[in-house]
PDB file of all heavy atoms in Angstrom:
ATOM      1  N   VAL S1444       0.842  -1.183  -0.005  1.00  0.00           N
ATOM      2  CA  VAL S1444       0.001  -0.001  -0.007  1.00  0.00           C
ATOM      3  C   VAL S1444       0.881   1.243   0.001  1.00  0.00           C
ATOM      4  O   VAL S1444       1.834   1.331   0.797  1.00  0.00           O
ATOM      5  CB  VAL S1444      -0.938   0.026   1.227  1.00  0.00           C
ATOM      6  CG1 VAL S1444      -1.786   1.305   1.237  1.00  0.00           C
ATOM      7  CG2 VAL S1444      -1.827  -1.219   1.261  1.00  0.00           C
ATOM      8  N   PHE S1445       0.553   2.205  -0.865  1.00  0.00           N
ATOM      9  CA  PHE S1445       1.274   3.471  -0.934  1.00  0.00           C
ATOM     10  C   PHE S1445       0.342   4.578  -0.449  1.00  0.00           C
ATOM     11  O   PHE S1445      -0.717   4.811  -1.028  1.00  0.00           O
ATOM     12  CB  PHE S1445       1.706   3.782  -2.371  1.00  0.00           C
ATOM     13  CG  PHE S1445       2.547   2.718  -3.003  1.00  0.00           C
ATOM     14  CD1 PHE S1445       1.974   1.708  -3.763  1.00  0.00           C
ATOM     15  CD2 PHE S1445       3.934   2.718  -2.829  1.00  0.00           C
ATOM     16  CE1 PHE S1445       2.741   0.725  -4.355  1.00  0.00           C
ATOM     17  CE2 PHE S1445       4.709   1.726  -3.415  1.00  0.00           C
ATOM     18  CZ  PHE S1445       4.118   0.724  -4.185  1.00  0.00           C
ATOM     19  N   GLU S1446       0.726   5.267   0.627  1.00  0.00           N
ATOM     20  CA  GLU S1446      -0.064   6.373   1.179  1.00  0.00           C
ATOM     21  C   GLU S1446       0.793   7.635   1.215  1.00  0.00           C
ATOM     22  O   GLU S1446       1.892   7.612   1.779  1.00  0.00           O
ATOM     23  CB  GLU S1446      -0.557   6.014   2.581  1.00  0.00           C
ATOM     24  CG  GLU S1446      -1.114   7.179   3.388  1.00  0.00           C
ATOM     25  CD  GLU S1446      -2.204   7.962   2.669  1.00  0.00           C
ATOM     26  OE1 GLU S1446      -3.101   7.328   2.063  1.00  0.00           O
ATOM     27  OE2 GLU S1446      -2.143   9.206   2.693  1.00  0.00           O
ATOM     28  N   LYS S1447       0.283   8.709   0.646  1.00  0.00           N
ATOM     29  CA  LYS S1447       1.120   9.904   0.523  1.00  0.00           C
ATOM     30  C   LYS S1447       1.298  10.657   1.836  1.00  0.00           C
ATOM     31  O   LYS S1447       2.278  11.399   2.009  1.00  0.00           O
ATOM     32  CB  LYS S1447       0.568  10.840  -0.545  1.00  0.00           C
ATOM     33  CG  LYS S1447      -0.695  11.600  -0.198  1.00  0.00           C
ATOM     34  CD  LYS S1447      -1.144  12.398  -1.413  1.00  0.00           C
ATOM     35  CE  LYS S1447      -2.373  13.245  -1.129  1.00  0.00           C
ATOM     36  NZ  LYS S1447      -2.076  14.377  -0.256  1.00  0.00           N
ATOM     37  N   GLU S1448       0.348  10.477   2.780  1.00  0.00           N
ATOM     38  CA  GLU S1448       0.454  11.199   4.057  1.00  0.00           C
ATOM     39  C   GLU S1448       1.275  10.401   5.067  1.00  0.00           C
ATOM     40  O   GLU S1448       1.542   9.213   4.875  1.00  0.00           O
ATOM     41  CB  GLU S1448      -0.940  11.479   4.613  1.00  0.00           C
ATOM     42  CG  GLU S1448      -1.853  12.252   3.687  1.00  0.00           C
ATOM     43  CD  GLU S1448      -1.365  13.665   3.392  1.00  0.00           C
ATOM     44  OE1 GLU S1448      -0.404  14.117   4.040  1.00  0.00           O
ATOM     45  OE2 GLU S1448      -1.956  14.328   2.517  1.00  0.00           O
ATOM     46  N   ALA S1449       1.623  11.065   6.165  1.00  0.00           N
ATOM     47  CA  ALA S1449       2.404  10.410   7.216  1.00  0.00           C
ATOM     48  C   ALA S1449       1.548   9.552   8.124  1.00  0.00           C
ATOM     49  O   ALA S1449       2.078   8.863   9.018  1.00  0.00           O
ATOM     50  CB  ALA S1449       3.157  11.464   8.042  1.00  0.00           C
ATOM     51  N   GLU S1450       0.223   9.603   7.950  1.00  0.00           N
ATOM     52  CA  GLU S1450      -0.693   8.772   8.730  1.00  0.00           C
ATOM     53  C   GLU S1450      -1.803   8.257   7.826  1.00  0.00           C
ATOM     54  O   GLU S1450      -2.052   8.814   6.747  1.00  0.00           O
ATOM     55  CB  GLU S1450      -1.288   9.582   9.882  1.00  0.00           C
ATOM     56  CG  GLU S1450      -2.080  10.795   9.431  1.00  0.00           C
ATOM     57  CD  GLU S1450      -2.673  11.564  10.588  1.00  0.00           C
ATOM     58  OE1 GLU S1450      -2.757  11.004  11.696  1.00  0.00           O
ATOM     59  OE2 GLU S1450      -3.037  12.724  10.392  1.00  0.00           O
ATOM     60  N   LEU S1451      -2.466   7.206   8.276  1.00  0.00           N
ATOM     61  CA  LEU S1451      -3.567   6.627   7.531  1.00  0.00           C
ATOM     62  C   LEU S1451      -4.861   7.411   7.773  1.00  0.00           C
ATOM     63  O   LEU S1451      -5.003   8.110   8.759  1.00  0.00           O
ATOM     64  CB  LEU S1451      -3.772   5.166   7.947  1.00  0.00           C
ATOM     65  CG  LEU S1451      -2.573   4.237   7.702  1.00  0.00           C
ATOM     66  CD1 LEU S1451      -2.816   2.886   8.368  1.00  0.00           C
ATOM     67  CD2 LEU S1451      -2.320   4.051   6.208  1.00  0.00           C
ATOM     68  N   ALA S1452      -5.798   7.273   6.836  1.00  0.00           N
ATOM     69  CA  ALA S1452      -7.150   7.835   6.981  1.00  0.00           C
ATOM     70  C   ALA S1452      -7.118   9.341   7.223  1.00  0.00           C
ATOM     71  O   ALA S1452      -7.915   9.874   7.989  1.00  0.00           O
ATOM     72  CB  ALA S1452      -7.900   7.124   8.124  1.00  0.00           C
ATOM     73  N   ALA S1453      -6.201  10.042   6.558  1.00  0.00           N
ATOM     74  CA  ALA S1453      -5.991  11.461   6.845  1.00  0.00           C
ATOM     75  C   ALA S1453      -6.975  12.372   6.123  1.00  0.00           C
ATOM     76  O   ALA S1453      -7.101  13.542   6.495  1.00  0.00           O
ATOM     77  CB  ALA S1453      -4.568  11.860   6.461  1.00  0.00           C
ATOM     78  N   HIS S1454      -7.683  11.850   5.124  1.00  0.00           N
ATOM     79  CA  HIS S1454      -8.533  12.740   4.326  1.00  0.00           C
ATOM     80  C   HIS S1454     -10.000  12.365   4.457  1.00  0.00           C
ATOM     81  O   HIS S1454     -10.587  12.511   5.515  1.00  0.00           O
ATOM     82  CB  HIS S1454      -8.025  12.776   2.884  1.00  0.00           C
ATOM     83  CG  HIS S1454      -6.704  13.474   2.780  1.00  0.00           C
ATOM     84  ND1 HIS S1454      -6.551  14.820   3.029  1.00  0.00           N
ATOM     85  CD2 HIS S1454      -5.468  13.018   2.486  1.00  0.00           C
ATOM     86  CE1 HIS S1454      -5.287  15.172   2.886  1.00  0.00           C
ATOM     87  NE2 HIS S1454      -4.600  14.086   2.569  1.00  0.00           N
ATOM     88  N   GLN S1455     -10.628  11.864   3.402  1.00  0.00           N
ATOM     89  CA  GLN S1455     -12.084  11.651   3.464  1.00  0.00           C
ATOM     90  C   GLN S1455     -12.483  10.700   4.594  1.00  0.00           C
ATOM     91  O   GLN S1455     -13.513  10.900   5.246  1.00  0.00           O
ATOM     92  CB  GLN S1455     -12.585  11.127   2.115  1.00  0.00           C
ATOM     93  CG  GLN S1455     -12.486  12.156   0.996  1.00  0.00           C
ATOM     94  CD  GLN S1455     -13.068  11.632  -0.281  1.00  0.00           C
ATOM     95  OE1 GLN S1455     -14.269  11.655  -0.488  1.00  0.00           O
ATOM     96  NE2 GLN S1455     -12.195  11.161  -1.170  1.00  0.00           N
ATOM     97  N   THR S1456     -11.677   9.676   4.826  1.00  0.00           N
ATOM     98  CA  THR S1456     -12.016   8.700   5.855  1.00  0.00           C
ATOM     99  C   THR S1456     -12.088   9.347   7.235  1.00  0.00           C
ATOM    100  O   THR S1456     -12.937   8.999   8.056  1.00  0.00           O
ATOM    101  CB  THR S1456     -10.992   7.562   5.878  1.00  0.00           C
ATOM    102  OG1 THR S1456     -10.944   6.960   4.577  1.00  0.00           O
ATOM    103  CG2 THR S1456     -11.371   6.515   6.911  1.00  0.00           C
ATOM    104  N   GLY S1457     -11.213  10.301   7.481  1.00  0.00           N
ATOM    105  CA  GLY S1457     -11.185  10.956   8.775  1.00  0.00           C
ATOM    106  C   GLY S1457     -11.958  12.245   8.842  1.00  0.00           C
ATOM    107  O   GLY S1457     -11.916  12.947   9.863  1.00  0.00           O
ATOM    108  N   HIS S1458     -12.685  12.584   7.775  1.00  0.00           N
ATOM    109  CA  HIS S1458     -13.428  13.841   7.726  1.00  0.00           C
ATOM    110  C   HIS S1458     -14.862  13.621   7.274  1.00  0.00           C
ATOM    111  O   HIS S1458     -15.406  14.372   6.461  1.00  0.00           O
ATOM    112  CB  HIS S1458     -12.743  14.832   6.783  1.00  0.00           C
ATOM    113  CG  HIS S1458     -11.450  15.360   7.289  1.00  0.00           C
ATOM    114  ND1 HIS S1458     -10.244  14.697   7.130  1.00  0.00           N
ATOM    115  CD2 HIS S1458     -11.150  16.485   7.997  1.00  0.00           C
ATOM    116  CE1 HIS S1458      -9.268  15.400   7.683  1.00  0.00           C
ATOM    117  NE2 HIS S1458      -9.786  16.484   8.213  1.00  0.00           N
ATOM    118  N   ASN S1459     -15.508  12.606   7.789  1.00  0.00           N
ATOM    119  CA  ASN S1459     -16.916  12.359   7.448  1.00  0.00           C
ATOM    120  C   ASN S1459     -17.722  12.231   8.735  1.00  0.00           C
ATOM    121  O   ASN S1459     -17.183  12.253   9.837  1.00  0.00           O
ATOM    122  CB  ASN S1459     -17.072  11.120   6.562  1.00  0.00           C
ATOM    123  CG  ASN S1459     -16.587   9.866   7.241  1.00  0.00           C
ATOM    124  OD1 ASN S1459     -17.206   9.369   8.178  1.00  0.00           O
ATOM    125  ND2 ASN S1459     -15.464   9.327   6.787  1.00  0.00           N
ATOM    126  N   SER S1460     -19.021  12.071   8.586  1.00  0.00           N
ATOM    127  CA  SER S1460     -19.910  12.114   9.748  1.00  0.00           C
ATOM    128  C   SER S1460     -19.901  10.822  10.558  1.00  0.00           C
ATOM    129  O   SER S1460     -20.429  10.798  11.672  1.00  0.00           O
ATOM    130  CB  SER S1460     -21.349  12.402   9.294  1.00  0.00           C
ATOM    131  OG  SER S1460     -21.825  11.341   8.493  1.00  0.00           O
ATOM    132  N   GLY S1461     -19.350   9.753  10.029  1.00  0.00           N
ATOM    133  CA  GLY S1461     -19.311   8.493  10.765  1.00  0.00           C
ATOM    134  C   GLY S1461     -20.613   7.708  10.758  1.00  0.00           C
ATOM    135  O   GLY S1461     -20.752   6.735  11.487  1.00  0.00           O
ATOM    136  N   VAL S1462     -21.563   8.111   9.902  1.00  0.00           N
ATOM    137  CA  VAL S1462     -22.860   7.426   9.872  1.00  0.00           C
ATOM    138  C   VAL S1462     -22.746   6.132   9.071  1.00  0.00           C
ATOM    139  O   VAL S1462     -22.147   6.101   7.999  1.00  0.00           O
ATOM    140  CB  VAL S1462     -23.943   8.344   9.275  1.00  0.00           C
ATOM    141  CG1 VAL S1462     -25.270   7.589   9.129  1.00  0.00           C
ATOM    142  CG2 VAL S1462     -24.136   9.584  10.141  1.00  0.00           C
ATOM    143  N   VAL S1463     -23.352   5.070   9.585  1.00  0.00           N
ATOM    144  CA  VAL S1463     -23.469   3.798   8.865  1.00  0.00           C
ATOM    145  C   VAL S1463     -24.880   3.743   8.302  1.00  0.00           C
ATOM    146  O   VAL S1463     -25.835   3.406   9.006  1.00  0.00           O
ATOM    147  CB  VAL S1463     -23.210   2.601   9.812  1.00  0.00           C
ATOM    148  CG1 VAL S1463     -23.217   1.297   8.999  1.00  0.00           C
ATOM    149  CG2 VAL S1463     -21.885   2.772  10.550  1.00  0.00           C
ATOM    150  N   HIS S1464     -25.023   4.106   7.047  1.00  0.00           N
ATOM    151  CA  HIS S1464     -26.349   4.216   6.447  1.00  0.00           C
ATOM    152  C   HIS S1464     -26.984   2.830   6.265  1.00  0.00           C
ATOM    153  O   HIS S1464     -26.310   1.860   5.917  1.00  0.00           O
ATOM    154  CB  HIS S1464     -26.271   4.943   5.110  1.00  0.00           C
ATOM    155  CG  HIS S1464     -26.000   6.408   5.268  1.00  0.00           C
ATOM    156  ND1 HIS S1464     -26.957   7.296   5.672  1.00  0.00           N
ATOM    157  CD2 HIS S1464     -24.851   7.132   5.111  1.00  0.00           C
ATOM    158  CE1 HIS S1464     -26.441   8.508   5.735  1.00  0.00           C
ATOM    159  NE2 HIS S1464     -25.161   8.440   5.406  1.00  0.00           N
ATOM    160  N   ALA S1465     -28.293   2.781   6.482  1.00  0.00           N
ATOM    161  CA  ALA S1465     -29.000   1.494   6.473  1.00  0.00           C
ATOM    162  C   ALA S1465     -29.572   1.116   5.119  1.00  0.00           C
ATOM    163  O   ALA S1465     -30.047   0.005   4.952  1.00  0.00           O
ATOM    164  CB  ALA S1465     -30.127   1.543   7.503  1.00  0.00           C
ATOM    165  N   GLY S1466     -29.545   2.057   4.137  1.00  0.00           N
ATOM    166  CA  GLY S1466     -30.052   1.734   2.811  1.00  0.00           C
ATOM    167  C   GLY S1466     -31.331   2.453   2.425  1.00  0.00           C
ATOM    168  O   GLY S1466     -32.049   2.033   1.514  1.00  0.00           O
ATOM    169  N   ILE S1467     -31.647   3.552   3.082  1.00  0.00           N
ATOM    170  CA  ILE S1467     -32.892   4.271   2.830  1.00  0.00           C
ATOM    171  C   ILE S1467     -32.893   4.949   1.467  1.00  0.00           C
ATOM    172  O   ILE S1467     -33.915   4.961   0.768  1.00  0.00           O
ATOM    173  CB  ILE S1467     -33.126   5.323   3.932  1.00  0.00           C
ATOM    174  CG1 ILE S1467     -33.408   4.634   5.269  1.00  0.00           C
ATOM    175  CG2 ILE S1467     -34.281   6.263   3.591  1.00  0.00           C
ATOM    176  CD1 ILE S1467     -33.487   5.597   6.448  1.00  0.00           C
ATOM    177  N   TYR S1468     -31.766   5.483   1.053  1.00  0.00           N
ATOM    178  CA  TYR S1468     -31.762   6.445  -0.044  1.00  0.00           C
ATOM    179  C   TYR S1468     -31.501   5.838  -1.426  1.00  0.00           C
ATOM    180  O   TYR S1468     -31.671   6.536  -2.429  1.00  0.00           O
ATOM    181  CB  TYR S1468     -30.680   7.502   0.204  1.00  0.00           C
ATOM    182  CG  TYR S1468     -30.853   8.232   1.509  1.00  0.00           C
ATOM    183  CD1 TYR S1468     -30.107   7.877   2.630  1.00  0.00           C
ATOM    184  CD2 TYR S1468     -31.761   9.272   1.644  1.00  0.00           C
ATOM    185  CE1 TYR S1468     -30.258   8.540   3.839  1.00  0.00           C
ATOM    186  CE2 TYR S1468     -31.929   9.937   2.844  1.00  0.00           C
ATOM    187  CZ  TYR S1468     -31.168   9.572   3.940  1.00  0.00           C
ATOM    188  OH  TYR S1468     -31.327  10.235   5.123  1.00  0.00           O
ATOM    189  N   TYR S1469     -31.106   4.597  -1.503  1.00  0.00           N
ATOM    190  CA  TYR S1469     -30.566   4.083  -2.752  1.00  0.00           C
ATOM    191  C   TYR S1469     -31.630   3.371  -3.583  1.00  0.00           C
ATOM    192  O   TYR S1469     -32.542   2.736  -3.064  1.00  0.00           O
ATOM    193  CB  TYR S1469     -29.381   3.153  -2.478  1.00  0.00           C
ATOM    194  CG  TYR S1469     -28.393   3.787  -1.521  1.00  0.00           C
ATOM    195  CD1 TYR S1469     -28.002   3.157  -0.359  1.00  0.00           C
ATOM    196  CD2 TYR S1469     -27.902   5.067  -1.788  1.00  0.00           C
ATOM    197  CE1 TYR S1469     -27.127   3.752   0.516  1.00  0.00           C
ATOM    198  CE2 TYR S1469     -27.023   5.676  -0.913  1.00  0.00           C
ATOM    199  CZ  TYR S1469     -26.643   5.022   0.236  1.00  0.00           C
ATOM    200  OH  TYR S1469     -25.781   5.629   1.110  1.00  0.00           O
ATOM    201  N   LYS S1470     -31.491   3.459  -4.895  1.00  0.00           N
ATOM    202  CA  LYS S1470     -32.456   2.879  -5.817  1.00  0.00           C
ATOM    203  C   LYS S1470     -32.546   1.375  -5.612  1.00  0.00           C
ATOM    204  O   LYS S1470     -31.536   0.668  -5.680  1.00  0.00           O
ATOM    205  CB  LYS S1470     -32.043   3.180  -7.258  1.00  0.00           C
ATOM    206  CG  LYS S1470     -33.016   2.648  -8.297  1.00  0.00           C
ATOM    207  CD  LYS S1470     -32.539   2.968  -9.703  1.00  0.00           C
ATOM    208  CE  LYS S1470     -33.486   2.387 -10.746  1.00  0.00           C
ATOM    209  NZ  LYS S1470     -33.005   2.692 -12.122  1.00  0.00           N
ATOM    210  N   PRO S1471     -33.753   0.856  -5.363  1.00  0.00           N
ATOM    211  CA  PRO S1471     -33.892  -0.593  -5.141  1.00  0.00           C
ATOM    212  C   PRO S1471     -33.377  -1.388  -6.347  1.00  0.00           C
ATOM    213  O   PRO S1471     -33.606  -1.021  -7.493  1.00  0.00           O
ATOM    214  CB  PRO S1471     -35.402  -0.777  -4.975  1.00  0.00           C
ATOM    215  CG  PRO S1471     -35.880   0.545  -4.445  1.00  0.00           C
ATOM    216  CD  PRO S1471     -35.021   1.577  -5.127  1.00  0.00           C
ATOM    217  N   GLY S1472     -32.655  -2.448  -6.041  1.00  0.00           N
ATOM    218  CA  GLY S1472     -32.094  -3.283  -7.083  1.00  0.00           C
ATOM    219  C   GLY S1472     -30.756  -2.823  -7.608  1.00  0.00           C
ATOM    220  O   GLY S1472     -30.108  -3.537  -8.370  1.00  0.00           O
ATOM    221  N   SER S1473     -30.322  -1.622  -7.206  1.00  0.00           N
ATOM    222  CA  SER S1473     -29.045  -1.111  -7.676  1.00  0.00           C
ATOM    223  C   SER S1473     -27.896  -1.765  -6.898  1.00  0.00           C
ATOM    224  O   SER S1473     -28.077  -2.268  -5.800  1.00  0.00           O
ATOM    225  CB  SER S1473     -28.977   0.403  -7.512  1.00  0.00           C
ATOM    226  OG  SER S1473     -28.989   0.753  -6.127  1.00  0.00           O
ATOM    227  N   LEU S1474     -26.720  -1.716  -7.499  1.00  0.00           N
ATOM    228  CA  LEU S1474     -25.545  -2.271  -6.821  1.00  0.00           C
ATOM    229  C   LEU S1474     -25.254  -1.484  -5.538  1.00  0.00           C
ATOM    230  O   LEU S1474     -24.847  -2.053  -4.527  1.00  0.00           O
ATOM    231  CB  LEU S1474     -24.338  -2.219  -7.756  1.00  0.00           C
ATOM    232  CG  LEU S1474     -23.035  -2.809  -7.216  1.00  0.00           C
ATOM    233  CD1 LEU S1474     -23.194  -4.290  -6.873  1.00  0.00           C
ATOM    234  CD2 LEU S1474     -21.905  -2.613  -8.220  1.00  0.00           C
ATOM    235  N   LYS S1475     -25.501  -0.179  -5.568  1.00  0.00           N
ATOM    236  CA  LYS S1475     -25.246   0.635  -4.398  1.00  0.00           C
ATOM    237  C   LYS S1475     -26.137   0.194  -3.228  1.00  0.00           C
ATOM    238  O   LYS S1475     -25.676   0.101  -2.090  1.00  0.00           O
ATOM    239  CB  LYS S1475     -25.488   2.112  -4.711  1.00  0.00           C
ATOM    240  CG  LYS S1475     -24.928   3.059  -3.670  1.00  0.00           C
ATOM    241  CD  LYS S1475     -24.934   4.495  -4.186  1.00  0.00           C
ATOM    242  CE  LYS S1475     -24.207   5.417  -3.223  1.00  0.00           C
ATOM    243  NZ  LYS S1475     -24.145   6.810  -3.738  1.00  0.00           N
ATOM    244  N   ALA S1476     -27.417  -0.070  -3.512  1.00  0.00           N
ATOM    245  CA  ALA S1476     -28.318  -0.536  -2.481  1.00  0.00           C
ATOM    246  C   ALA S1476     -27.879  -1.893  -1.934  1.00  0.00           C
ATOM    247  O   ALA S1476     -27.868  -2.128  -0.720  1.00  0.00           O
ATOM    248  CB  ALA S1476     -29.748  -0.615  -3.019  1.00  0.00           C
ATOM    249  N   GLU S1477     -27.506  -2.780  -2.840  1.00  0.00           N
ATOM    250  CA  GLU S1477     -27.088  -4.117  -2.438  1.00  0.00           C
ATOM    251  C   GLU S1477     -25.824  -4.055  -1.557  1.00  0.00           C
ATOM    252  O   GLU S1477     -25.750  -4.696  -0.497  1.00  0.00           O
ATOM    253  CB  GLU S1477     -26.803  -4.973  -3.670  1.00  0.00           C
ATOM    254  CG  GLU S1477     -26.292  -6.367  -3.364  1.00  0.00           C
ATOM    255  CD  GLU S1477     -25.879  -7.132  -4.610  1.00  0.00           C
ATOM    256  OE1 GLU S1477     -26.287  -6.743  -5.721  1.00  0.00           O
ATOM    257  OE2 GLU S1477     -25.119  -8.105  -4.474  1.00  0.00           O
ATOM    258  N   LEU S1478     -24.851  -3.255  -1.989  1.00  0.00           N
ATOM    259  CA  LEU S1478     -23.605  -3.178  -1.238  1.00  0.00           C
ATOM    260  C   LEU S1478     -23.785  -2.471   0.101  1.00  0.00           C
ATOM    261  O   LEU S1478     -23.117  -2.802   1.083  1.00  0.00           O
ATOM    262  CB  LEU S1478     -22.539  -2.456  -2.062  1.00  0.00           C
ATOM    263  CG  LEU S1478     -22.072  -3.180  -3.325  1.00  0.00           C
ATOM    264  CD1 LEU S1478     -21.024  -2.356  -4.048  1.00  0.00           C
ATOM    265  CD2 LEU S1478     -21.537  -4.566  -3.004  1.00  0.00           C
ATOM    266  N   CYS S1479     -24.713  -1.497   0.145  1.00  0.00           N
ATOM    267  CA  CYS S1479     -24.976  -0.819   1.410  1.00  0.00           C
ATOM    268  C   CYS S1479     -25.521  -1.812   2.435  1.00  0.00           C
ATOM    269  O   CYS S1479     -25.022  -1.874   3.559  1.00  0.00           O
ATOM    270  CB  CYS S1479     -25.966   0.318   1.195  1.00  0.00           C
ATOM    271  SG  CYS S1479     -26.435   1.172   2.719  1.00  0.00           S
ATOM    272  N   ARG S1480     -26.541  -2.572   2.062  1.00  0.00           N
ATOM    273  CA  ARG S1480     -27.133  -3.494   3.019  1.00  0.00           C
ATOM    274  C   ARG S1480     -26.131  -4.594   3.411  1.00  0.00           C
ATOM    275  O   ARG S1480     -26.013  -4.932   4.593  1.00  0.00           O
ATOM    276  CB  ARG S1480     -28.382  -4.151   2.388  1.00  0.00           C
ATOM    277  CG  ARG S1480     -29.565  -3.229   2.245  1.00  0.00           C
ATOM    278  CD  ARG S1480     -30.069  -2.688   3.588  1.00  0.00           C
ATOM    279  NE  ARG S1480     -30.228  -3.732   4.561  1.00  0.00           N
ATOM    280  CZ  ARG S1480     -29.826  -3.624   5.823  1.00  0.00           C
ATOM    281  NH1 ARG S1480     -29.237  -2.517   6.259  1.00  0.00           N
ATOM    282  NH2 ARG S1480     -30.025  -4.622   6.674  1.00  0.00           N
ATOM    283  N   ARG S1481     -25.372  -5.110   2.462  1.00  0.00           N
ATOM    284  CA  ARG S1481     -24.388  -6.129   2.792  1.00  0.00           C
ATOM    285  C   ARG S1481     -23.267  -5.539   3.624  1.00  0.00           C
ATOM    286  O   ARG S1481     -22.762  -6.163   4.570  1.00  0.00           O
ATOM    287  CB  ARG S1481     -23.829  -6.753   1.501  1.00  0.00           C
ATOM    288  CG  ARG S1481     -22.815  -7.878   1.746  1.00  0.00           C
ATOM    289  CD  ARG S1481     -22.601  -8.702   0.511  1.00  0.00           C
ATOM    290  NE  ARG S1481     -21.614  -9.732   0.743  1.00  0.00           N
ATOM    291  CZ  ARG S1481     -20.334  -9.663   0.351  1.00  0.00           C
ATOM    292  NH1 ARG S1481     -19.907  -8.602  -0.313  1.00  0.00           N
ATOM    293  NH2 ARG S1481     -19.496 -10.642   0.592  1.00  0.00           N
ATOM    294  N   GLY S1482     -22.876  -4.305   3.293  1.00  0.00           N
ATOM    295  CA  GLY S1482     -21.781  -3.658   4.001  1.00  0.00           C
ATOM    296  C   GLY S1482     -22.113  -3.380   5.455  1.00  0.00           C
ATOM    297  O   GLY S1482     -21.223  -3.444   6.320  1.00  0.00           O
TER     298      GLY S1482
END
């Protein structure tokens, strides 16, 4: 793994709301909906 910063998760991973979405917003049958629920 190549990471440009001196620490891991320094950008988007460390700057989000931390919510684990349950699948409310995604189009039924879409890959995004499937991966959200499985994830």
Side-chain angles (χ1 to χ4, degrees):
V1444 178
F1445 304 93
E1446 166 53 45
K1447 73 184 183 72
E1448 304 295 352
E1450 60 179 342
L1451 299 170
H1454 291 294
Q1455 293 183 81
T1456 303
H1458 290 85
N1459 62 71
S1460 64
V1462 175
V1463 184
H1464 288 284
I1467 293 174
Y1468 303 100
Y1469 311 126
K1470 181 180 178 181
S1473 67
L1474 182 60
K1475 194 168 187 177
E1477 177 187 342
L1478 293 180
C1479 177
R1480 289 298 312 136
R1481 182 164 178 258

